[in-house]
Amino acid sequence: MKLQTNIKLKKQEHNLIDYNSKLLLLGSCFSENIGNKLEYFKFQSISNPFGILFHPKAIETVISRALQQKKYLDNDVFYHNEQWHCFDAHSVLSNASKEDLLKDLNTQLQLLQKSILESTHIIITLGTAWVYNLVEENKIVANCHKVPQKAFEKNLLSIESVKKSLQNCITKIRAVNKTAKVIFTVSPVRHIKDGFVENMQSKSHLISATHQVLNAETLYFPSYEIMMDELRDYRFYKDDMLHPNTTAIKYIWQKFIEVWVNLDALQIMKEVDVVQKGLQHKPFNNNSQAHKEFLLNLDIKKESLTTRFSHILF
């Protein structure tokens, strides 16, 4: 008896990810989950230089600004709740010092520009089509930073608006990097604070718009669909019943590498995993001969990986 429906996935034939690839991840918190996996396995990856960005307009804004190298200035930040913030960035960048915030924003701007220029794969994860428009400036923000809700107007981006935003992202990327694969995915995290029906509206707009911009160089990975169909059970969620738990993240990650990572890289991943687990090992006796031999073998494995791939450092 088969108790699960499986989404049919096909291994990519060209431009697979390996340890020479350079990856940029932008978007919702699910980008962070996949980014953490790539970091653990020592791929060359950059994840969300401006923090989590939930909607396509926020992603379009930072891509445009980075490629224009339009530096952040005093009038781009504001003071609220004893910290300085920027409406283009997540609160993870917020700072008690205005000067430090501006410095960090412009550093991340340079990092993002460099990553777009050099990336072989750019993974964009869309979280929601709901946006908040700052009424006073008529500007869609990436994060409200706990500014009172009366300062904003909440809107649902139409399918056409999402499509236009995604197309703008693609066009700007292609203008400076013609070879990078752009991979879109929709986050499996449900934004129930918007409402159950409203969340489904939002996801449907994202999915519909994304599929209208796909082509040979712009592809789609079904993170949302895997979570909603193959993992159709609350045991795959965290306690909040909204976010995928560790098991679900591992499952979707495994599906991703089956589609996008080449066979040689899979072997390197196994070697990296052995070292990572070795580094986490806690011995009963630090001074035992067995532990000394274990550390020596671990150093040999680390050196072997670093010799072949200079960016792999432990």
Side-chain angles (χ1 to χ4, degrees), residues 63-76:
I63 288 176
S64 298
R65 189 149 193 157
L67 294 179
Q68 294 170 4
Q69 275 299 286
K70 185 181 177 184
K71 290 184 67 175
Y72 283 95
L73 303 173
D74 287 359
N75 60 352
D76 294 312

Side-chain angles (χ1 to χ4, degrees), residues 78-95:
F78 67 98
Y79 192 71
H80 179 68
N81 285 343
E82 301 183 13
Q83 280 202 312
W84 288 91
H85 310 274
C86 175
F87 279 126
D88 289 351
H90 190 270
S91 56
V92 70
L93 269 74
S94 297
N95 201 298

Side-chain angles (χ1 to χ4, degrees), residues 284-302:
F284 290 110
N285 182 356
N286 285 325
N287 297 316
S288 69
Q289 186 60 37
H291 182 60
K292 290 177 181 178
E293 290 177 4
F294 171 81
L295 291 178
L296 179 61
N297 288 330
L298 194 62
D299 284 340
I300 292 171
K301 291 183 175 73
K302 288 161 60 178

Side-chain angles (χ1 to χ4, degrees), residues 6 37 103 106 143 152 179 189 199 280 282 290 295 299:
N6 294 103
K37 291 290 186 185
K103 180 181 177 182
N106 289 316
N143 195 293
F152 303 96
T179 59
V189 179
N199 173 69
Q280 295 168 13
K282 295 182 179 180
L295 291 178
D299 284 340

Side-chain angles (χ1 to χ4, degrees), residues 22 65 117-118 128 201-202 242:
K22 293 186 177 182
R65 189 149 193 157
L117 292 173
E118 297 179 355
T128 182
Q201 268 188 296
S202 166
L242 300 176

Side-chain angles (χ1 to χ4, degrees), residues 181-275:
K181 287 282 185 181
V182 180
I183 305 166
F184 285 108
T185 188
V186 172
S187 170
V189 179
R190 294 176 299 145
H191 292 245
I192 298 304
K193 68 177 182 179
D194 294 321
F196 285 89
V197 174
E198 290 81 358
N199 173 69
M200 293 303 290
Q201 268 188 296
S202 166
K203 297 293 188 184
S204 65
H205 283 206
L206 296 176
I207 293 168
S208 296
T210 301
H211 282 276
Q212 292 182 35
V213 300
L214 300 182
N215 54 41
E217 299 301 320
T218 306
L219 300 108
Y220 183 77
F221 180 76
S223 299
Y224 178 79
E225 292 80 358
I226 291 170
M227 190 74 202
M228 293 297 108
D229 204 306
E230 293 194 29
L231 305 180
R232 188 190 287 256
D233 194 303
Y234 277 109
R235 73 179 184 271
F236 296 115
Y237 287 85
K238 290 183 179 180
D239 290 344
D240 64 3
M241 299 297 161
L242 300 176
H243 290 78
N245 63 15
T246 302
T247 301
I249 292 167
K250 285 181 178 178
Y251 186 90
I252 298 173
W253 164 251
Q254 188 60 44
K255 294 291 185 180
F256 179 81
I257 64 176
E258 286 174 10
V259 172
W260 274 104
V261 177
N262 78 10
L263 295 178
D264 291 338
L266 292 176
Q267 181 56 45
I268 305 300
M269 289 172 67
K270 291 178 182 178
E271 295 180 43
V272 171
D273 191 38
V274 168
V275 174

Side-chain angles (χ1 to χ4, degrees), residues 117-158:
L117 292 173
E118 297 179 355
S119 290
T120 58
H121 300 78
I122 298 174
I123 303 170
I124 296 176
T125 303
L126 306 173
T128 182
W130 287 101
V131 298
Y132 288 85
N133 189 63
L134 184 63
V135 176
E136 186 178 348
E137 298 182 23
N138 191 27
K139 171 186 176 179
I140 293 175
V141 302
N143 195 293
C144 295
H145 299 295
K146 298 184 179 179
V147 171
Q149 193 165 353
K150 63 183 181 182
F152 303 96
E153 186 177 76
K154 184 178 179 181
N155 297 305
L156 178 66
L157 295 175
S158 66

